[in-house]
Amino acid sequence: MNFELTPDQRAFAHVAHDFAQAELAPHAARWDAESIFPREAIAKAGELGFCGLYTPENAGGLGLPRLDATLVFEQLAAVDPSTTAFITIHNMATWLLGTWAQDAVREQWGPALCSGQKLASYCLTEPGAGSDAASLKTRARLEGGHYVINGGKAFISGAGSTDVLVLMARTGDAESGAGGISAFAVPAQAEGIHYGQKEQKMGWNSQPTRQISFDNVRIPANHLLGREGEGFKIAMKALDGGRINIATCSVGAAQGALDHARAYMHERKQFGQPLAGFQALQFKLADMATDLVAARQMVRMAAAKLDAGASDASTYCAMAKRFATDAGFGVINDALQLHGGYGYTRAYPLERLLRDARVHQILEGTNEVMRVIIARRLLRGDALE
């Protein structure tokens, strides 16, 4: 087992680091404070391929492994977890469309989404269907050559500011459960779509979050992704990658926080010596670094499992998401503590990193749900390698 990155992988990470420092770092605090959605910066990320990292090449993407995508996302998230998280969600929705859309729809949307000129939202969660996604009630009814969509979605990242919605809706009856759900590509400005007020959030302020209602929205039948009844399976495949993405954002944010804490310990003096001279704080920094490396390796192992199509990949994605988002938040919180009162102010980015990282323990399946997924496999007696 080789834990070393290849020269190409190191090059991806280096390009992402330089982009983050040039295009995200100077503006991230202002985007957060003023709730600005930075479409121009995201489009510049698209010019480097960051908006279609693992989308198939026939849809305009780079077709990279998930492991390589984590290297890019980590570098971006070290500076701006909020904007990076949206880019990961856009990548997930773009991959779904690029993988399962019919040719005409793939050709219409794929290259524009992969270039960042157009943006996508992922629409699964509903007001009454969060962790229990299979209970969703939004309905798509086939009428002639069109599907007619009615219902509502909640907590949709980018809603109102994106161009296409990758939507999960029920095409079977209420008793059909997960097997009655289908996936669709829906133009975001289609007649009958209404967007709610922008949610006022603790973090993730550089991306809008809204509810969406669908009132007799008509889309051509060829906007179905895959086949009828495959939507939940498609959504779960997306969430495996989404969990790696969000875990990576936590790792990146934690690395950014650790870097700030290490520098601050050399700069700040108390009782006649730098903070770096206190053994208790040295030990704290060592524990933070150890937790961060453990989280990073777990995320990369899960990504490698997913790339290899391993039968236990979903379980490893759940473990990586659970561990990395908890550990990452802990590292950021400790970094804030090392800054003392300054860490609680906007003079340093710690409070922003903390606010942005907190939601990672909730979305893409709460960490409690991740424990359910892991425990089910263990209790079946299946081995984890």
Side-chain angles (χ1 to χ4, degrees), residues 140 142 147 171-172 179-184 224-231:
L142 185 61
Y147 281 96
T171 49
I181 296 171
S182 301
F184 301 90
L224 176 71
L225 303 181
R227 296 190 295 270
E228 274 202 12
E230 287 188 324

Side-chain angles (χ1 to χ4, degrees), residues 46 72 77 79 86-87 115 154 167 175-176 181 223-224 233 248 264 278 286 294 300-301 311-312 349:
V72 171
V79 171
F86 176 80
I87 292 173
S115 69
L167 173 78
E175 288 71 37
S176 58
I181 296 171
H223 282 46
L224 176 71
K233 179 180 71 174
T248 302
Y264 188 76
F278 292 92
R300 290 182 180 178
M301 179 169 63
S311 61
D312 55 0

Side-chain angles (χ1 to χ4, degrees), residues 336-358:
L336 189 153
Q337 186 74 15
L338 286 172
H339 280 71
Y342 288 111
Y344 199 66
T345 71
R346 292 190 175 182
Y348 292 85
L350 280 305
E351 59 86 29
R352 175 172 56 83
L353 294 175
L354 188 82
R355 287 187 288 104
D356 284 344
R358 179 59 183 89

Side-chain angles (χ1 to χ4, degrees), residues 12-254:
F12 288 141
H14 181 73
V15 170
H17 175 271
D18 288 351
F19 174 83
Q21 294 301 317
E23 302 295 340
L24 303 183
H27 311 293
R30 179 172 62 86
W31 294 338
D32 170 69
E34 300 177 15
S35 295
I36 294 172
F37 185 48
R39 283 201 66 145
E40 182 178 343
I42 295 171
K44 289 181 179 179
E47 293 174 4
L48 296 174
F50 295 169
C51 289
L53 284 167
Y54 49 88
T55 297
E57 293 182 60
N58 67 353
L62 297 182
L64 293 176
R66 299 304 179 94
L67 177 57
D68 291 9
T70 69
L71 308 177
V72 171
F73 295 147
E74 181 181 335
Q75 293 295 329
L76 303 184
V79 171
D80 186 353
S82 173
T83 302
T84 305
F86 176 80
I87 292 173
T88 74
I89 294 166
H90 169 83
N91 266 268
M92 178 173 65
T94 300
W95 170 76
L96 281 167
L97 187 147
T99 302
W100 278 281
Q102 298 181 36
D103 290 344
V105 175
R106 182 187 299 113
E107 291 168 5
Q108 177 185 0
W109 289 104
L113 292 172
C114 290
S115 69
Q117 296 304 306
K118 301 289 185 181
L119 298 178
S121 291
Y122 178 69
C123 302
L124 175 63
T125 301
E126 297 186 356
S131 295
D132 182 14
S135 67
L136 65 83
K137 292 182 171 57
T138 297
R139 177 166 293 280
R141 184 179 68 257
L142 185 61
E143 292 184 359
H146 290 78
Y147 281 96
V148 180
I149 303 169
N150 285 279
K153 297 292 179 179
F155 301 119
I156 304 304
S157 291
S161 299
T162 53
D163 305 286
V164 62
L165 310 175
V166 175
L167 173 78
M168 305 299 157
R170 186 166 298 283
T171 49
D173 57 34
E175 288 71 37
S176 58
I181 296 171
S182 301
F184 301 90
V186 181
Q189 303 306 320
E191 185 176 355
I193 295 179
H194 305 283
Y195 295 97
Q197 292 185 343
K198 187 163 63 173
E199 301 285 359
Q200 300 300 307
K201 308 188 298 290
M202 176 180 177
W204 275 29
N205 291 320
S206 72
Q207 52 169 295
T209 303
R210 292 183 172 90
Q211 292 195 9
I212 310 176
S213 62
F214 301 85
D215 183 11
N216 290 322
V217 176
R218 297 177 65 86
I219 60 171
N222 70 347
H223 282 46
L224 176 71
L225 303 181
R227 296 190 295 270
E228 274 202 12
E230 287 188 324
F232 192 77
K233 179 180 71 174
I234 290 171
M236 293 303 103
K237 286 181 178 293
L239 285 177
D240 279 343
R243 286 163 183 162
I244 291 173
N245 290 346
I246 287 302
T248 302
C249 287
S250 284
V251 171

